[in-house]
Amino acid sequence: MAGKRSPWGGGAPEDGPATPPSGEEPPARGPRNPWLPDGSGDGEKPPRRSAGIEDIFRNRGPEGPRRRTGGPGGPGGPNFQMPRRANGGSWVPIIGGTLIAVLLLATAVHQVGPKEQGIVSTFGKYSHTLNPGLNMTLPWPLQNVEVTDVTSIQSETMPTGNAEQLILTGDQNLVDLSYLIRWNIKDLRLFRYQLAEPQETLREVAEAAMRASVAEQTFDSVVSGAGRATVEERVRTRMQAVLDAYRSGIAIQGVDIGRTEPPEQVVEAFKDVSAAQQDADADINRAEAYSQQLLARAQGDAAEFNNIYEEYRQAPEVTRRRLYYETMESVLAKTNKTIVETDGVTPYLALPELQRRSSPQPAQTPSTQVPDAAPTRARAGAR
């Protein structure tokens, strides 16, 4: 490396003499540190010196970059600047104003669905009601809007879950009964502001109306379902009257009774009673059917007698003979002998024997065959 200056010291610069001009002492120079800025020692820059461990960590720490960069935000800020407008102003006010305007516009325009209504309150106090469609209000927080579905049918099941609810009937019996209340909102302002807990009030009114209506029916009519429609209509009417008196803004659409059973403690006894009642009803039905058959038969016989009597009045002798012949035919048809009391006719005709002979006889075995009777009759005739 002759003629060149070593970064570690020694050697002479390439473009100058290695020794200073005559009459001047050369400045003291140490080894060159490549990690420190160059220093000539001519008064403008400090001379080079060896870097200590403190200098290295100080230059690499957070203070070092701030001294070197001098970015915005004071000494030491990152070297980042927001974009500027053409006139040199900042975009921050414009962006902030735009966001605020969008927020105000979003809270001032409200789209209400076809089944909904909105309640507008100004500083928490009722202002007016919004109908379905696009509506404009003052932005938040001046006015607040709460949109609620007022057309869809809502339901309340009582009791909740599979819990038991015993209600006293008119004949001093208990019945386990569950039912469903169908309702909707007919006045949103009253529903929102008149009652503190409208749904809880609805459940309490429903229970009171159901107990009052079931108390007017017997146990059998409630369990069998005969009086179910009456109970449902009375419960709906009573509930609507009470809720209108409370100015609740609720419309009762219907009541549907679900489970109607005796209490769990007497279920087995009730089943026995029900089975006995069903057997009694079956016997009663059979007796009524038999009585109707007898009555129909008697009525038929009476009608037949009346018809015969009309024929007898018109032709007594012919009718009398006809009745005689029909009666004798029905009687003699059941006998095996026929007796004819007329001259020149054999008094006895063995008609059953003739009928037996004329009918085909089953084949018989030789041991059971009866001997032919013809020779016997011939011998008898000879004697």
Side-chain angles (χ1 to χ4, degrees):
M1 297 179 62
K4 294 185 179 181
R5 186 177 180 182
S6 173
W8 308 111
E14 185 177 6
D15 55 352
T19 60
S22 59
E24 296 182 6
E25 294 183 0
R29 291 178 180 270
R32 181 181 177 185
N33 190 339
W35 308 111
L36 292 178
D38 188 17
S40 60
D42 54 359
E44 295 180 359
K45 295 182 180 180
R48 288 197 307 267
R49 63 181 180 86
S50 300
I53 190 65
E54 294 85 356
D55 297 332
I56 295 176
F57 283 102
R58 186 182 300 113
N59 292 332
R60 295 191 178 187
E63 297 297 331
R66 281 199 293 268
R67 285 198 302 268
R68 291 193 301 269
T69 58
N79 191 14
F80 173 78
Q81 293 183 357
M82 290 289 292
R84 297 284 179 172
R85 291 185 292 170
N87 57 0
S90 176
W91 287 96
V92 174
I94 297 179
I95 296 176
T98 303
L99 293 178
I100 293 175
V102 171
L103 178 63
L104 294 178
L105 183 62
T107 57
V109 179
H110 306 278
Q111 177 66 38
V112 181
K115 295 183 179 181
E116 300 174 337
Q117 287 184 350
I119 289 291
V120 181
S121 57
T122 304
F123 297 110
K125 185 178 180 180
Y126 172 80
S127 175
H128 60 280
T129 302
L130 299 180
N131 293 320
L134 188 64
N135 299 269
M136 297 289 295
T137 63
L138 295 177
W140 182 87
L142 300 179
Q143 286 186 337
N144 187 31
V145 178
E146 295 183 10
V147 179
T148 306
D149 188 348
V150 297
T151 305
S152 299
I153 303 299
Q154 305 183 44
S155 61
E156 293 288 337
T157 303
M158 299 189 59
T160 304
N162 297 324
E164 186 180 46
Q165 185 176 24
L166 300 180
I167 300 178
L168 189 65
T169 61
D171 52 356
Q172 304 301 314
N173 289 314
L174 291 175
V175 59
D176 182 13
L177 190 144
S178 65
Y179 50 96
L180 179 72
I181 306 297
R182 293 179 285 107
W183 62 279
N184 68 328
I185 301 174
K186 66 177 181 180
D187 192 325
L188 183 58
R189 177 185 178 184
L190 295 178
F191 180 80
R192 183 68 65 182
Y193 293 102
Q194 185 65 25
L195 299 178
E197 297 180 356
Q199 293 185 347
E200 186 64 26
T201 303
L202 174 69
R203 296 178 65 87
E204 293 177 356
V205 172
E207 183 175 358
M210 180 60 71
R211 291 185 180 277
S213 301
V214 172
E216 299 172 351
Q217 302 291 325
T218 62
F219 177 82
D220 292 336
S221 64
V222 175
V223 174
S224 63
R228 178 172 299 183
T230 302
V231 173
E232 292 174 348
E233 181 59 26
R234 290 180 180 178
V235 170
R236 190 195 68 80
T237 304
R238 283 173 171 158
M239 287 187 63
Q240 192 63 64
V242 174
L243 293 174
D244 290 344
Y246 288 167
R247 302 179 68 238
S248 62
I250 297 176
I252 302 300
Q253 300 299 330
V255 179
D256 300 324
I257 296 178
R259 182 182 69 249
T260 54
E261 299 176 352
E264 185 178 358
Q265 295 81 356
V266 297
V267 169
E268 296 300 329
F270 177 79
K271 289 181 179 179
D272 295 340
V273 173
S274 179
Q277 184 66 37
Q278 292 177 1
D279 294 341
D281 294 339
D283 293 340
I284 293 174
N285 293 334
R286 285 194 294 269
E288 291 179 352
Y290 181 69
S291 65
Q292 291 176 358
Q293 291 177 0
L294 291 181
L295 180 61
R297 187 181 303 171
Q299 291 175 350
D301 294 342
E304 183 181 2
F305 179 80
N306 291 333
N307 294 332
I308 294 175
Y309 178 70
E310 291 295 333
E311 296 293 336
Y312 181 78
R313 290 178 57 186
Q314 296 178 5
E317 184 63 25
V318 175
T319 304
R320 186 182 301 110
R321 287 181 176 275
R322 175 185 172 188
L323 292 176
Y324 173 77
Y325 292 153
E326 290 179 353
T327 303
M328 293 302 296
E329 180 181 1
S330 62
V331 172
L332 295 178
K334 300 177 182 180
T335 62
N336 295 327
K337 296 180 180 180
T338 302
I339 300 175
V340 181
E341 296 181 354
T342 304
D343 297 337
V345 179
T346 303
Y348 171 72
L349 294 177
L351 295 180
E353 183 67 18
L354 295 176
Q355 292 176 356
R356 185 181 64 81
R357 290 185 178 184
S358 61
S359 61
Q361 296 293 330
Q364 296 180 353
T365 59
S367 60
T368 58
Q369 289 182 353
V370 179
D372 191 2
T376 305
R377 286 199 300 272
R379 288 193 297 270
R383 287 194 300 268

